[in-house]
PDB file of all heavy atoms in Angstrom:
ATOM      1  N   ARG A 126     -12.424  73.853 -84.654  1.00  0.00           N
ATOM      2  CA  ARG A 126     -13.634  73.981 -83.966  1.00  0.00           C
ATOM      3  C   ARG A 126     -14.736  73.751 -85.025  1.00  0.00           C
ATOM      4  O   ARG A 126     -14.876  74.441 -85.934  1.00  0.00           O
ATOM      5  CB  ARG A 126     -13.778  75.380 -83.233  1.00  0.00           C
ATOM      6  CG  ARG A 126     -15.055  75.589 -82.555  1.00  0.00           C
ATOM      7  CD  ARG A 126     -15.082  76.927 -81.933  1.00  0.00           C
ATOM      8  NE  ARG A 126     -16.412  77.313 -81.494  1.00  0.00           N
ATOM      9  CZ  ARG A 126     -17.227  78.118 -82.187  1.00  0.00           C
ATOM     10  NH1 ARG A 126     -16.944  78.522 -83.392  1.00  0.00           N
ATOM     11  NH2 ARG A 126     -18.383  78.379 -81.705  1.00  0.00           N
ATOM     12  N   LEU A 130     -21.502  72.647 -84.419  1.00  0.00           N
ATOM     13  CA  LEU A 130     -21.765  72.363 -83.007  1.00  0.00           C
ATOM     14  C   LEU A 130     -21.658  73.598 -82.191  1.00  0.00           C
ATOM     15  O   LEU A 130     -20.729  74.330 -82.359  1.00  0.00           O
ATOM     16  CB  LEU A 130     -20.741  71.313 -82.473  1.00  0.00           C
ATOM     17  CG  LEU A 130     -20.812  69.999 -83.207  1.00  0.00           C
ATOM     18  CD1 LEU A 130     -19.644  69.053 -82.570  1.00  0.00           C
ATOM     19  CD2 LEU A 130     -22.064  69.333 -82.986  1.00  0.00           C
ATOM     20  N   ARG A 131     -22.588  73.864 -81.319  1.00  0.00           N
ATOM     21  CA  ARG A 131     -22.632  74.999 -80.459  1.00  0.00           C
ATOM     22  C   ARG A 131     -22.786  74.651 -79.028  1.00  0.00           C
ATOM     23  O   ARG A 131     -23.434  73.566 -78.712  1.00  0.00           O
ATOM     24  CB  ARG A 131     -23.641  75.909 -80.906  1.00  0.00           C
ATOM     25  CG  ARG A 131     -23.389  76.594 -82.306  1.00  0.00           C
ATOM     26  CD  ARG A 131     -22.345  77.697 -82.226  1.00  0.00           C
ATOM     27  NE  ARG A 131     -22.175  78.392 -83.422  1.00  0.00           N
ATOM     28  CZ  ARG A 131     -21.370  77.907 -84.420  1.00  0.00           C
ATOM     29  NH1 ARG A 131     -20.660  76.835 -84.227  1.00  0.00           N
ATOM     30  NH2 ARG A 131     -21.221  78.720 -85.523  1.00  0.00           N
ATOM     31  N   GLY A 132     -22.369  75.375 -78.134  1.00  0.00           N
ATOM     32  CA  GLY A 132     -22.692  75.206 -76.761  1.00  0.00           C
ATOM     33  C   GLY A 132     -22.233  73.873 -76.205  1.00  0.00           C
ATOM     34  O   GLY A 132     -21.038  73.551 -76.311  1.00  0.00           O
ATOM     35  N   ALA A 133     -23.166  73.103 -75.741  1.00  0.00           N
ATOM     36  CA  ALA A 133     -22.741  71.917 -74.999  1.00  0.00           C
ATOM     37  C   ALA A 133     -22.046  70.834 -75.932  1.00  0.00           C
ATOM     38  O   ALA A 133     -21.299  70.047 -75.488  1.00  0.00           O
ATOM     39  CB  ALA A 133     -24.002  71.154 -74.444  1.00  0.00           C
ATOM     40  N   GLY A 134     -22.294  71.023 -77.273  1.00  0.00           N
ATOM     41  CA  GLY A 134     -21.771  70.056 -78.177  1.00  0.00           C
ATOM     42  C   GLY A 134     -20.406  70.473 -78.713  1.00  0.00           C
ATOM     43  O   GLY A 134     -19.775  69.753 -79.457  1.00  0.00           O
ATOM     44  N   GLU A 135     -19.948  71.689 -78.353  1.00  0.00           N
ATOM     45  CA  GLU A 135     -18.768  72.133 -78.881  1.00  0.00           C
ATOM     46  C   GLU A 135     -17.529  71.485 -78.382  1.00  0.00           C
ATOM     47  O   GLU A 135     -17.367  71.211 -77.241  1.00  0.00           O
ATOM     48  CB  GLU A 135     -18.667  73.644 -78.696  1.00  0.00           C
ATOM     49  CG  GLU A 135     -17.393  74.270 -79.109  1.00  0.00           C
ATOM     50  CD  GLU A 135     -17.401  75.747 -79.187  1.00  0.00           C
ATOM     51  OE1 GLU A 135     -18.369  76.269 -79.309  1.00  0.00           O
ATOM     52  OE2 GLU A 135     -16.254  76.206 -78.902  1.00  0.00           O
ATOM     53  N   THR A 136     -16.629  71.184 -79.313  1.00  0.00           N
ATOM     54  CA  THR A 136     -15.432  70.585 -78.931  1.00  0.00           C
ATOM     55  C   THR A 136     -14.365  71.025 -80.023  1.00  0.00           C
ATOM     56  O   THR A 136     -14.754  71.388 -81.110  1.00  0.00           O
ATOM     57  CB  THR A 136     -15.434  69.166 -78.671  1.00  0.00           C
ATOM     58  OG1 THR A 136     -14.172  68.815 -78.063  1.00  0.00           O
ATOM     59  CG2 THR A 136     -15.623  68.348 -79.949  1.00  0.00           C
TER      60      THR A 136
ATOM     61  N   TYR B  59     -16.130  75.137 -69.830  1.00  0.00           N
ATOM     62  CA  TYR B  59     -16.059  73.717 -70.108  1.00  0.00           C
ATOM     63  C   TYR B  59     -14.758  73.086 -69.699  1.00  0.00           C
ATOM     64  O   TYR B  59     -13.726  73.850 -69.638  1.00  0.00           O
ATOM     65  CB  TYR B  59     -16.265  73.547 -71.598  1.00  0.00           C
ATOM     66  CG  TYR B  59     -17.493  74.042 -72.222  1.00  0.00           C
ATOM     67  CD1 TYR B  59     -17.561  75.358 -72.732  1.00  0.00           C
ATOM     68  CD2 TYR B  59     -18.698  73.270 -72.211  1.00  0.00           C
ATOM     69  CE1 TYR B  59     -18.696  75.824 -73.332  1.00  0.00           C
ATOM     70  CE2 TYR B  59     -19.868  73.836 -72.806  1.00  0.00           C
ATOM     71  CZ  TYR B  59     -19.867  75.108 -73.350  1.00  0.00           C
ATOM     72  OH  TYR B  59     -21.015  75.590 -73.892  1.00  0.00           O
ATOM     73  N   ARG B  76     -15.967  65.258 -71.682  1.00  0.00           N
ATOM     74  CA  ARG B  76     -16.193  66.788 -71.581  1.00  0.00           C
ATOM     75  C   ARG B  76     -17.335  67.031 -70.500  1.00  0.00           C
ATOM     76  O   ARG B  76     -18.259  66.302 -70.395  1.00  0.00           O
ATOM     77  CB  ARG B  76     -16.791  67.331 -72.960  1.00  0.00           C
ATOM     78  CG  ARG B  76     -17.168  68.724 -72.910  1.00  0.00           C
ATOM     79  CD  ARG B  76     -17.742  69.107 -74.320  1.00  0.00           C
ATOM     80  NE  ARG B  76     -18.811  68.351 -74.750  1.00  0.00           N
ATOM     81  CZ  ARG B  76     -18.889  67.695 -75.831  1.00  0.00           C
ATOM     82  NH1 ARG B  76     -17.850  67.852 -76.669  1.00  0.00           N
ATOM     83  NH2 ARG B  76     -19.914  66.963 -76.202  1.00  0.00           N
ATOM     84  N   GLU B  78     -19.686  70.285 -68.863  1.00  0.00           N
ATOM     85  CA  GLU B  78     -20.129  71.647 -68.897  1.00  0.00           C
ATOM     86  C   GLU B  78     -20.240  72.061 -67.417  1.00  0.00           C
ATOM     87  O   GLU B  78     -20.926  71.456 -66.632  1.00  0.00           O
ATOM     88  CB  GLU B  78     -21.471  71.689 -69.596  1.00  0.00           C
ATOM     89  CG  GLU B  78     -21.516  71.461 -71.066  1.00  0.00           C
ATOM     90  CD  GLU B  78     -21.534  69.976 -71.445  1.00  0.00           C
ATOM     91  OE1 GLU B  78     -21.727  69.210 -70.459  1.00  0.00           O
ATOM     92  OE2 GLU B  78     -21.402  69.623 -72.612  1.00  0.00           O
ATOM     93  N   TYR B  80     -22.192  74.108 -66.020  1.00  0.00           N
ATOM     94  CA  TYR B  80     -23.519  74.447 -65.519  1.00  0.00           C
ATOM     95  C   TYR B  80     -24.278  73.022 -65.163  1.00  0.00           C
ATOM     96  O   TYR B  80     -25.291  73.148 -64.612  1.00  0.00           O
ATOM     97  CB  TYR B  80     -24.324  75.285 -66.480  1.00  0.00           C
ATOM     98  CG  TYR B  80     -24.628  74.397 -67.748  1.00  0.00           C
ATOM     99  CD1 TYR B  80     -25.670  73.547 -67.911  1.00  0.00           C
ATOM    100  CD2 TYR B  80     -23.694  74.734 -68.882  1.00  0.00           C
ATOM    101  CE1 TYR B  80     -25.866  72.983 -69.164  1.00  0.00           C
ATOM    102  CE2 TYR B  80     -24.006  74.135 -70.071  1.00  0.00           C
ATOM    103  CZ  TYR B  80     -25.044  73.196 -70.199  1.00  0.00           C
ATOM    104  OH  TYR B  80     -25.300  72.700 -71.485  1.00  0.00           O
ATOM    105  N   ARG B 121     -11.938  75.581 -70.962  1.00  0.00           N
ATOM    106  CA  ARG B 121     -12.269  76.534 -72.012  1.00  0.00           C
ATOM    107  C   ARG B 121     -13.403  77.455 -71.419  1.00  0.00           C
ATOM    108  O   ARG B 121     -14.428  77.039 -70.803  1.00  0.00           O
ATOM    109  CB  ARG B 121     -12.852  75.836 -73.251  1.00  0.00           C
ATOM    110  CG  ARG B 121     -12.811  76.706 -74.453  1.00  0.00           C
ATOM    111  CD  ARG B 121     -13.926  76.331 -75.443  1.00  0.00           C
ATOM    112  NE  ARG B 121     -15.211  76.951 -75.028  1.00  0.00           N
ATOM    113  CZ  ARG B 121     -16.104  77.576 -75.655  1.00  0.00           C
ATOM    114  NH1 ARG B 121     -15.902  77.679 -76.965  1.00  0.00           N
ATOM    115  NH2 ARG B 121     -17.255  78.077 -75.136  1.00  0.00           N
TER     116      ARG B 121
END
Side-chain angles (χ1 to χ4, degrees):
Chain A
R126 175 179 170 264
L130 298 176
R131 291 287 185 271
E135 177 171 326
T136 190
Chain B
Y59 300 93
R76 173 181 56 234
E78 293 84 5
Y80 64 84
R121 199 212 77 139

